[in-house]
């Protein structure tokens, strides 16, 4: 890497590279980044990850030269040599096996413009095999909400949550995972009298602020939500006017709950029936109630059904289309919303129009000069199951699927079955270890462009540093890749603003936006071409699909993929404040590793005693898929029968034991329910 004194820095407002809140910050060559007054963090607040965000920019382990793998060892080469190799290998594979033999892994941590170009390359090449890690977090949420409402994003704004009277937080821990949202938007509402209901198998920092905690048994969310629904119907706590005007199928829906056993449902879910009734009444009687949902709901083989059951609650009580209401998924990465918006998914074009829609294909073809394919491509999870067979090559842009996908040992082996793999990243990650060509890209602090936060705000990023060594900006890398593979002038852009202009022509939900108009503020989608501003609250008079009514949909429970044996516990995974995703970035931050440098396994005292496990002891967590060792944290904050650890660390690599079974609609894995044995390490 070039010496730090050879790099220059210029403090400019940009967006934090971590969670989907969208805090603005800058770096002026000081030790840490500092928050700036922005659209979301109006008082310049940032969390510990934001403060430490610059640690990885100056990290000595940054990739600074293109590398090619020869006999398992990386060798530095020129950019020309590296790009020649990529062009030759991918062209040969497409010629021999077709474009569908290549899988494109887009990045939820990179800009809208970069992801737009990335999916454009795939589709102009002739495949819809492009996906991003939204597949792993909220794809089931998006599927359920799109099906019923016509849009899979937050229905309301963050500021709108301050107007609510009840917060139903289901499967999310915003106090740790989205701390600026929690402290700046949710806590003020709570202090102003809003009731907080927390549905989570653990007691955590969010639970500390809750009025009601429902410690649901992992894999039994539908039993819990159906029992709440039954209370609403039994006690006539529904909004009859809203049901008549804005829903369909109400009579059939009511019939499904005529003989509902609320106590049995609560018992199956592992919660107290009286507390469940109290929660139902608090949500239904609030003048305005909002649902905040997270990966505790979505990451199941029944993830889509879980969210469908949540949507029933909002529809029955009329908590849609008004201030302080709605269903609001909190997104995990700084541009996971935007990556979906711009079409980095196998079944939709930019703006969420289906690839099967002939009119949408025609409009895209008018802009690109090439009609994209009309059949959905493979999701990234399904694709890894076909590596070495239907899938012969992978292009991985700023993602780490070898660590983040379930049954990680099998996925790692699958990467070795590819004929060719190219990775664009900042460090030699677990996925980069499988690359034939590894390209050094740009960090958040070295690029311009836009990102879209969790409540649909599009904001601009600006460079605070120049590039280290011989690395290149991601947009430049992708444009050269597109030009080489497609021999076309379609990738000759002067910069991200020109790409954004094209995006607004292709995507109806971004049509009225402009790069200059965003400035240091934001613009929110949907923003129609003839509008003066974007829409804050969705589904006010009609739903995003153009329908005035949405169907009520009864949902039947289905068992988790893993059956749990007598000596087994249920492992559920999640995030903590000081680390992020696969840890590829945060584990390289000295600041954050000092806060939490290693993982622990939370286990209930009674489960620990039965297994002869002492607090602080090393234990083995294993099943037929693999095993890991980790330190036991004996704590009553986790319920009996359940253990918890994160997925941030290579040791333990929690995804070595998570299963590959998928939700049938969204193909999201079941990270929240894995049957494991836990024993003291010998």
């Amino acid at each position: 890497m070039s010496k730090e004194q050879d790099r220059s820095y210029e403090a400019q407002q940009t967006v934090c590279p971590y969670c989907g809140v969208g805090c603005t910050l800058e770096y002026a060559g000081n030790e840490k980044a500092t928050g700036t007054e922005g659209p979301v963090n109006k008082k310049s607040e940032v969390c510990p990850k934001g403060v430490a965000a610059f640690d990885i920019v100056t990290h000595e382990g940054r990739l600074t030269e293109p590398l090619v793998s020869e006999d398992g060892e990386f060798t530095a080469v020129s950019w020309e040599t590296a790009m020649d190799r990529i062009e030759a290998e991918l062209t040969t594979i497409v010629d021999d096996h077709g474009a569908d033999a290549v899988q494109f892994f887009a990045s939820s941590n990179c800009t809208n413009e970069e992801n737009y170009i990335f999916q454009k390359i795939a589709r102009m090449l002739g495949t819809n095999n492009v996906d991003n890690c939204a597949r792993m977090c909220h794809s089931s949420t998006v599927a359920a909400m799109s099906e019923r409402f016509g849009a899979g994003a937050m229905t309301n704004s963050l500021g709108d949550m301050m107007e609510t009277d009840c917060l139903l937080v289901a499967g999310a821990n915003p106090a740790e995972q989205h701390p600026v949202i929690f402290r700046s938007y949710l806590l003020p509402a709570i202090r102003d009298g809003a009731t907080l209901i927390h549905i989570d198998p653990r007691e955590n920092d969010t639970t500390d602020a809750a009025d009601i905690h429902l410690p649901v048994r992992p894999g039994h969310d539908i039993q819990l939500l159906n029992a709440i629904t039954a209370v609403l119907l039994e006690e006539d706590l529904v909004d009859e006017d809203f049901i008549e005007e804005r829903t369909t199928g109400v009579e059939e829906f009511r019939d499904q709950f005529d003989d509902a056993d609320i106590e049995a449902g609560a018992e199956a879910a592992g919660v107290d029936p009286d507390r469940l009734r109290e929660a139902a009444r608090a949500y239904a009687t609030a003048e305005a109630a909002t649902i905040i949902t997270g990966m505790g709901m979505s990451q199941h083989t029944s993830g889509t059904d879980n969210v469908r059951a949540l949507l029933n609650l909002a529809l029955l009580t009329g908590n849609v289309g008004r201030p302080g209401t709605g269903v609001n998924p909190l997104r995990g990465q700084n541009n996971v919303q935007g990556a979906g918006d711009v079409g980095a998914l196998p079944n939709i074009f930019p703006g969420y129009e289906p690839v099967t829609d002939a009119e949408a294909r025609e409009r895209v073809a008018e802009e690109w000069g090439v009609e994209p394919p009309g059949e959905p491509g493979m999701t990234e999870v399904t694709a890894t199951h076909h590596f070495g067979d239907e899938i012969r090559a992978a292009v991985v842009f700023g993602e780490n699927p070898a660590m983040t996908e379930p049954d990680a040992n099998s996925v790692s082996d699958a990467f070795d079955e590819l004929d060719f793999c190219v990775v664009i990243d900042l460090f030699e990650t677990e996925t980069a270890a499988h690359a034939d060509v590894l390209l050094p890209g740009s960090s958040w602090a070295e690029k311009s462009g836009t990102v879209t936060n969790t409540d649909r705000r599009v904001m601009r990023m600006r460079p605070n540093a120049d590039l280290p060594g011989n690395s290149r900006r991601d947009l430049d890398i992708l444009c050269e890749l597109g030009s080489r593979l497609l021999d076309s002038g379609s990738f000759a852009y002067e910069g991200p603003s020109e790409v954004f202009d094209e995006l607004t022509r292709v995507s109806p939900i971004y049509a009225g936006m402009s790069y200059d108009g965003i400035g240091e503020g934001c613009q929110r989608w949907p923003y129609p071409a003839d509008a003066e501003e974007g829409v804050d609250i969705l589904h006010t008079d009609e739903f995003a699909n153009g329908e005035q009514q949405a169907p009520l949909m009864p949902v039947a429970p289905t068992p988790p993929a893993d059956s749990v044996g007598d000596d087994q516990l249920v492992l559920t995974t999640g995030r903590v404040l000081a680390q992020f995703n696969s840890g590829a970035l945060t584990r390289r931050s000295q600041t954050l590793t000092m806060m939490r440098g290693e993982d622990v396994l939370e286990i209930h005292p009674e489960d620990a005693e039965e297994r002869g496990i002492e607090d602080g002891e090393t234990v083995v967590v294993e099943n037929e898929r693999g095993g890991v060792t980790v330190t036991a944290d004996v704590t009553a904050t986790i319920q009996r029968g359940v253990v918890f650890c994160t997925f941030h660390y290579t040791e333990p690599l929690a995804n070595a034991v998570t299963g590959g079974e998928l939700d049938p609609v969204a193909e999201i894995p079941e990270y929240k329910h894995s049957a494991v044995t836990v024993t003291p390490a010998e």
Side-chain angles (χ1 to χ4, degrees), residues 465-486:
D466 59 7
L467 291 160
N470 198 24
S471 58
R472 289 185 178 177
R473 289 187 174 86
D474 293 329
L475 188 63
D476 295 337
I477 297 171
L478 297 177
C479 286
E480 180 176 349
L481 178 63
S483 297
R484 282 172 169 265
L485 292 178
L486 292 153

Side-chain angles (χ1 to χ4, degrees), residues 510-521:
Y510 280 34
M513 295 183 186
S514 72
Y515 201 74
D516 290 339
I518 294 169
E520 292 193 354

Side-chain angles (χ1 to χ4, degrees), residues 659-673:
E661 295 295 322
L662 306 176
D663 175 283
V665 177
E667 296 192 21
I668 192 170
E670 190 155 66
Y671 293 114
K672 301 303 186 191
H673 187 286

